[in-house]
Amino acid sequence: MAEKSFPDGFLWGAATAACQVEGAAREDGKGESIWDRFSRVPGAIVGGDTPEVACDHYHRWRDDVENMRDLGLKAYRFSAAWTRLFPTGRGRLNRRGLDFYQGLVDALLAAGISPVLTLYHWDLPQALQDHGGWTNRDTASWFAEYAACLFNSLGDRVHTWITINEPWVAGFLGHGEGVHAPGIRDFAAAVQASHVLLVAHAKSVEAYRQVSPDKGRIGIALDMHPVYPLSDGESDGEAARIEDGHHNRWFLQPVLSGSYPSDMLELYAARHVAPRIEQDDAGLLAGNPPDFLGVNYYFPTRALASRANPVLGCQARVPRDCEKTAMGWEVYPRGLSDLLTRLKRDWGDPVLMITENGAAYDDERMEGPQVADLDRIAYLRAHLREALAAIASGVRLEGYFLWSLMDNFEWACGYAKRFGITHVDYRTQARTWKKSASWYQGVIASNGADLGE
Ligand code: FCB
């Protein structure tokens, strides 16, 4: 029989990222990030939007923490902007940048909310991009230095850390498809970037163990897609294996077992896109397993054999008639429990946290004083039910972070896509709860026993 509620101490949270909410892109000594730069490329972002102001969280964080307290959040996942601490990525610390995060962390703790700090959520210092960014292995060392500075300054108060958010997206959307910063279109560069990101992850875990506040834990947030063949045909079955290798195993295996999957290494080598793996890398990856794995889940992948991607020979396809969110992403809650149970079965039963899950809908079209985002509630409820089913089957799931606390700068989609449970009026910066916020408040208060109808 399925469990009726979540385990005691389950970490109910919500998530944001620095570049998506902070704004104040040039204040108090902050340096330029690759997203500040990329957003000014004509045509790169829908509506010509930029992260310059975003939700103005840099100035409104006290109110935002109050909002979180009202929601009853147990934890808040946010990221630090590397460029606030080190405007050019390295060198002398910009004290005012650190002060901002110290103030935020202290306010969260005073509100009874555990801070969960992501070190890198895609906003690389532009000055490091000018040195090759994530295709340059030195970036991994600079990242570890920046990380160590945060561990040293906040490690006594922040006990849950996330190294890198979604290295697949940073690597492949940023360097392969060019739809994210830094806007490069070169598959080999993307594979190389994915490797350097993983080395950066391992080096920062290593740095953490050296500073090692006893009670802390550190993990990584991977965007995971359960992969299903689009058809029963043999070629789509093979496409699913490759898609899974490319998107999931390429990250899971080095993070959890310390090596790359040999089938993907062979495939990349055969297509002349293999990364440059240095002598130390294997030891670094193998020697620094995380304490938990963060899972970002939004939608599954339906794999199709196709020449559209000449390297992989396959492609992801959204089935024509399925239910979709405003992003065009398939709604498939079952994918979440498939994913979680597979991680338990095939990857050594790691401690898991859902570090992102949520949906964009066209909220602005709804009328009335409060956005009646019933489709978002339905999405969240269905996914929480699957999370509960996974827990009932023994998965060690310890937390759930809803994306997102509030509407924000949705990368290449600008402000056009809204994921928040709090509505943000970008003209006035007024925050208003959507129905989903009241609903989530009830879920948290009942520890997930009451998911509503
Ligand atoms: C994830 C990102 C997050 C947000 C959601 C919708 O891939 O990590 O910043 O944009 O998608």
Side-chain angles (χ1 to χ4, degrees):
M1 217 183 74
E3 295 285 331
K4 287 220 170 48
S5 72
F6 287 77
D8 286 344
F10 191 76
L11 214 52
W12 293 101
T16 65
C19 176
Q20 296 180 275
V21 299
E22 284 181 2
R26 300 161 206 238
E27 262 175 74
D28 290 342
K30 180 184 169 298
E32 186 187 26
S33 81
I34 54 173
W35 274 94
D36 294 324
R37 174 76 61 96
F38 182 66
S39 65
R40 291 198 303 270
V41 173
I45 314 284
V46 171
D49 291 341
T50 75
E52 182 107 21
V53 178
C55 307
D56 196 31
H57 172 71
Y58 189 75
H59 299 114
R60 294 166 195 266
W61 57 276
R62 288 186 183 80
D63 292 344
D64 290 333
V65 172
E66 272 312 299
N67 184 27
M68 294 180 223
R69 190 211 292 266
D70 293 345
L71 280 164
L73 293 189
K74 308 281 183 229
Y76 173 51
R77 176 181 173 221
F78 62 101
S79 76
W82 187 343
T83 49
R84 282 204 195 283
L85 277 79
F86 297 98
T88 58
R90 55 203 164 124
R92 214 160 60 92
L93 171 70
N94 174 34
R95 194 69 234 179
R96 287 175 296 174
L98 182 59
D99 287 348
F100 170 69
Y101 296 110
Q102 281 183 324
L104 177 62
V105 163
D106 288 344
L108 288 167
L109 291 172
I113 299 166
S114 301
V116 175
L117 206 165
T118 305
L119 295 161
Y120 184 73
H121 203 125
W122 305 351
D123 42 0
L124 188 76
Q126 180 62 42
L128 298 188
Q129 186 60 44
D130 298 341
H131 289 282
W134 289 115
T135 63
N136 175 359
R137 198 175 175 287
D138 290 341
T139 302
S141 306
W142 296 325
F143 174 71
E145 285 166 24
Y146 147 71
C149 167
L150 278 170
F151 299 147
N152 279 312
S153 335
L154 293 172
D156 57 338
R157 284 159 287 169
V158 175
H159 298 149
T160 306
W161 297 84
I162 291 169
T163 56
I164 309 263
N165 182 70
E166 300 190 350
W168 182 88
V169 173
F172 289 92
L173 292 189
H175 302 75
E177 297 182 27
V179 294
H180 275 200
I184 294 168
R185 292 207 172 107
D186 173 350
F187 201 92
V191 178
Q192 174 66 12
S194 71
H195 173 61
V196 176
L197 282 154
L198 286 163
V199 171
H201 156 76
K203 276 181 172 269
S204 60
V205 172
E206 184 181 58
Y208 188 65
R209 304 285 180 227
Q210 278 157 13
V211 178
S212 193
D214 305 337
K215 8 179 181 163
R217 53 185 176 169
I218 190 161
I220 186 169
L222 299 180
D223 52 310
M224 307 253 82
H225 301 264
V227 182
Y228 310 98
L230 190 68
S231 74
D232 293 342
E234 208 177 300
S235 55
D236 284 356
E238 174 65 0
R241 180 185 65 79
I242 296 172
E243 265 293 332
D244 182 52
H246 168 67
H247 210 122
N248 298 324
R249 290 184 289 116
W250 183 254
F251 298 91
L252 283 170
Q253 191 168 319
V255 165
L256 297 175
S257 310
S259 64
Y260 283 106
S262 49
D263 61 334
M264 294 312 295
L265 270 181
E266 280 164 25
L267 187 147
Y268 289 153
R271 304 281 194 273
H272 309 289
V273 297
R276 292 185 296 282
I277 299 179
E278 299 194 10
Q279 230 176 8
D280 293 354
D281 296 352
L284 261 171
L285 289 164
N288 291 291
D291 300 310
F292 67 91
L293 182 71
V295 175
N296 293 0
Y297 175 70
Y298 291 92
F299 60 96
T301 293
R302 310 280 174 185
L304 163 77
S306 146
R307 299 220 179 97
N309 182 326
V311 175
L312 299 175
C314 60
Q315 204 186 358
R317 195 44 87 71
V318 183
R320 209 172 300 143
D321 299 323
C322 70
E323 186 187 341
K324 301 184 190 78
T325 68
M327 298 292 283
W329 296 347
E330 178 181 353
V331 177
Y332 190 65
R334 176 64 202 267
L336 179 60
S337 46
D338 282 358
L339 186 58
L340 298 174
T341 47
R342 178 196 179 195
L343 288 168
K344 175 182 171 66
R345 192 187 61 227
D346 297 350
W347 295 98
D349 195 12
V351 169
L352 301 176
M353 284 207 254
I354 296 171
T355 33
E356 285 181 32
N357 176 241
Y361 287 102
D362 290 331
D363 295 341
E364 283 302 82
R365 286 202 217 125
M366 296 169 191
E367 289 172 13
Q370 192 186 33
V371 175
D373 56 340
L374 304 183
D375 31 17
R376 178 172 292 105
I377 295 175
Y379 179 99
L380 296 168
R381 179 193 295 123
H383 284 79
L384 282 174
R385 286 206 175 115
E386 295 297 328
L388 196 53
I391 291 171
S393 71
V395 169
R396 297 201 287 161
L397 179 66
E398 298 193 353
Y400 175 88
F401 291 80
L402 195 162
W403 186 274
S404 176
L405 173 68
M406 56 186 156
D407 294 333
N408 58 48
F409 175 73
E410 179 47 34
W411 310 111
C413 298
Y415 298 98
K417 297 290 179 238
R418 293 175 175 269
F419 275 87
I421 54 172
T422 306
H423 177 268
V424 176
D425 179 331
Y426 293 111
R427 281 170 305 124
T428 62
Q429 292 294 350
R431 275 79 159 135
T432 314
W433 277 16
K434 302 180 191 177
K435 280 227 159 82
S436 54
S438 319
W439 171 84
Y440 195 45
Q441 183 190 41
V443 170
I444 297 172
S446 69
N447 198 32
D450 184 6
L451 295 178
E453 283 318 301

